[in-house]
Amino acid sequence: MEILMKNSLPLYKQIIMDLLEQILDGELRPGDRVPSEHELSSSYRVSSITSKNALTELAEKGYIIRIKGKGSFVNSAEALLNIPDFTHTLQQRIVMKAKTIGLIVPSMKTTIDQQLLNAVEMELAPTEYILAISITRESQQLESASIQKFRESGVSGLIIFPTEHEMYNEEILKLNLSDFPFVLVDRYLRGIRSSCIYTDNYDISKLATLHLLEQGCRHVAFLSPDSHNTVTSDRINGFQDGLYEQGMTVLPENLCMIPLSVTDPAEKESLILQYLKSHPGIDGLFCVNREMAKYAAHLMTIHQLWNRYRIAAFDYPDDHRISYISQDIGQIAHNCVLELIDSIQNGRKDHHIVVPARLVPAHT
């Protein structure tokens, strides 16, 4: 028996949920013997009182019957269908499990989030699957809860866009260990085997850095939140290697990393301005994402600095004076859906698929 511990629940509730999942999935059928108190205590490494409480509650709610001297057994199908919670959950699972893919995203605020949702929906439209969505609001706790909820609902597979600063998630590791079909989008998580679909962050960051140098920049700064996820790491490596290739030394002062503890946009913008003032030699900015580009563009405008700096940025086509990197969200979504459906139907392969991006030069 696979044990998926719901850490926020009392131990006896965890046992109840696992036994109910087995009944709902048909692993335990009406009339089947349910593991005894002793067997549950051994499997879950809990006291006999805990396992007894679990079986007692299942019996009180009508899921099982207990026969003295014989054991506990799943109640009849007729009795189970008379339990409102059981009937509702069963119907929900039948619908969800048959043809549903869950999409877990950190927000719906950015253009990338919105483009990804639209593209995934378009890719799924001609298939037999429907889409269910959960927004985590950049909370790893909510992400874990979404994974648990989708699994309990019986979805066929998951597309997960991890939270921005995520390095590791135990629930994703559990998906891995149980061979549940899932795909990570936008990034990979070190140490977790999975299929991942993401932009070629290293190569395009190196190309954008070389582009700034070709435009005459001699001291380029990397502007980013102080995150250590694989997206930021790959982009920093591309940036640094672009400088190295031109014989330039990469110094700590080339990195302007905004602390994650700073959440106020005005404060972030103020920190960037302080950095520029304290490093007057900087003449180029590489912005790791749209947010950083937005702050930089605003500073250039209000302080009349456009003639002093060249800027390259991810996902910022809003200003013709900024060279921007265009990610192929449509291709990423296409690969996500193909990879996940293949995993659902034929078993997981755990591929890393890297999608090229395009650099659009500024028009000065």
Side-chain angles (χ1 to χ4, degrees):
M1 177 178 67
E2 177 195 354
I3 301 172
L4 293 177
M5 301 298 267
K6 286 77 177 174
N7 293 321
S8 60
L9 295 175
L11 291 172
Y12 83 98
K13 288 286 189 182
Q14 296 174 19
I15 297 173
I16 289 171
M17 289 187 69
D18 282 344
L19 290 175
L20 285 177
E21 285 182 15
Q22 292 179 63
I23 294 172
L24 286 162
D25 286 338
E27 296 176 31
L28 287 174
R29 299 177 179 275
D32 283 354
R33 178 181 168 278
V34 175
S36 68
E37 293 175 14
H38 176 73
E39 289 168 333
L40 290 172
S41 296
S42 176
S43 296
Y44 286 84
R45 297 181 179 86
V46 296
S47 69
S48 59
I49 294 176
T50 298
S51 58
K52 181 180 180 179
N53 288 341
L55 293 177
T56 297
E57 183 168 321
L58 287 171
E60 289 174 349
K61 292 184 176 180
Y63 292 104
I64 65 174
I65 54 175
R66 307 191 75 184
I67 302 174
K68 189 173 182 179
K70 293 187 177 180
S72 301
F73 301 85
V74 179
N75 214 337
S76 67
E78 182 180 1
L80 291 174
L81 292 175
N82 283 328
I83 304 172
D85 286 346
F86 180 84
T87 304
H88 174 75
T89 304
L90 181 62
Q91 291 173 343
Q92 185 183 42
R93 286 172 72 91
I94 289 171
V95 172
M96 294 285 280
K97 193 168 186 177
K99 304 294 177 187
T100 303
I101 285 173
L103 173 64
I104 299 175
V105 293
S107 76
M108 271 294 122
K109 295 180 180 179
T110 71
T111 303
I112 295 298
D113 298 326
Q114 295 160 11
Q115 288 176 348
L116 180 66
L117 171 59
N118 183 60
V120 169
E121 283 187 316
M122 291 180 63
E123 290 294 329
L124 284 175
T127 74
E128 57 187 355
Y129 295 92
I130 61 174
L131 187 65
I133 305 163
S134 179
I135 301 173
T136 64
R137 296 171 179 81
E138 292 290 1
S139 165
Q140 195 165 330
Q141 276 189 320
L142 288 178
E143 181 181 279
S144 296
S146 295
I147 293 171
Q148 289 182 2
K149 186 175 181 180
F150 274 137
R151 289 205 68 181
E152 290 162 8
S153 298
V155 296
S156 302
L158 293 172
I159 298 172
I160 304 172
F161 190 148
T163 60
E164 183 176 0
H165 308 305
E166 186 168 341
M167 306 290 289
Y168 172 83
N169 187 319
E170 187 175 347
E171 288 303 319
I172 294 178
L173 179 60
K174 289 177 182 178
L175 293 178
N176 185 7
L177 295 175
S178 63
D179 280 330
F180 186 84
F182 76 100
V183 172
L184 296 180
V185 62
D186 186 63
R187 69 199 64 175
Y188 54 95
L189 298 179
R190 294 185 181 91
I192 294 183
R193 176 178 57 88
S194 65
S195 287
C196 309
I197 321 294
Y198 51 93
T199 293
D200 189 355
N201 291 297
Y202 173 85
D203 281 348
I204 196 64
S205 296
K206 182 177 178 181
L207 179 64
T209 303
L210 292 172
H211 171 72
L212 289 174
L213 298 178
E214 289 170 0
Q215 296 298 303
C217 296
R218 288 296 170 263
H219 300 283
V220 182
F222 184 88
L223 182 57
S224 171
D226 193 14
S227 175
H228 299 281
N229 64 38
T230 53
V231 173
T232 304
S233 295
D234 288 348
R235 292 177 184 180
I236 285 179
N237 289 336
F239 166 78
Q240 291 177 328
D241 285 354
L243 296 180
Y244 287 140
E245 188 171 291
Q246 296 301 307
M248 297 182 177
T249 302
V250 180
L251 302 172
E253 63 193 45
N254 290 106
L255 303 179
C256 177
M257 310 298 283
I258 306 301
L260 300 182
S261 58
V262 178
T263 58
D264 178 52
E267 187 176 354
K268 292 180 184 180
E269 192 171 293
S270 175
L271 289 174
I272 295 169
L273 181 60
Q274 290 176 32
Y275 170 83
L276 294 177
K277 287 182 176 179
S278 61
H279 297 84
I282 296 294
D283 55 8
L285 296 175
F286 181 95
C287 300
V288 77
N289 59 24
R290 178 179 174 82
E291 181 191 20
M292 295 295 107
K294 181 180 177 181
Y295 298 145
H298 186 239
L299 288 172
M300 297 301 110
T301 299
I302 63 175
H303 294 283
Q304 300 181 347
L305 299 172
W306 282 108
N307 291 330
R308 185 169 169 182
Y309 297 94
R310 302 280 186 178
I311 302 176
F314 267 85
D315 310 315
Y316 197 80
D318 306 52
D319 195 306
H320 66 88
R321 291 165 291 190
I322 294 179
S323 299
Y324 72 92
I325 294 166
S326 176
Q327 301 188 75
D328 194 342
I329 303 301
Q331 188 62 45
I332 289 173
H334 176 75
N335 289 337
C336 276
V337 170
L338 284 183
E339 182 73 10
L340 184 57
I341 291 177
D342 183 61
S343 295
I344 293 168
Q345 297 176 349
N346 303 307
R348 281 175 44 191
K349 307 296 191 304
D350 296 331
H351 297 136
H352 277 225
I353 301 175
V354 182
V355 178
R358 181 170 59 97
L359 178 65
V360 181
H363 300 291
T364 56

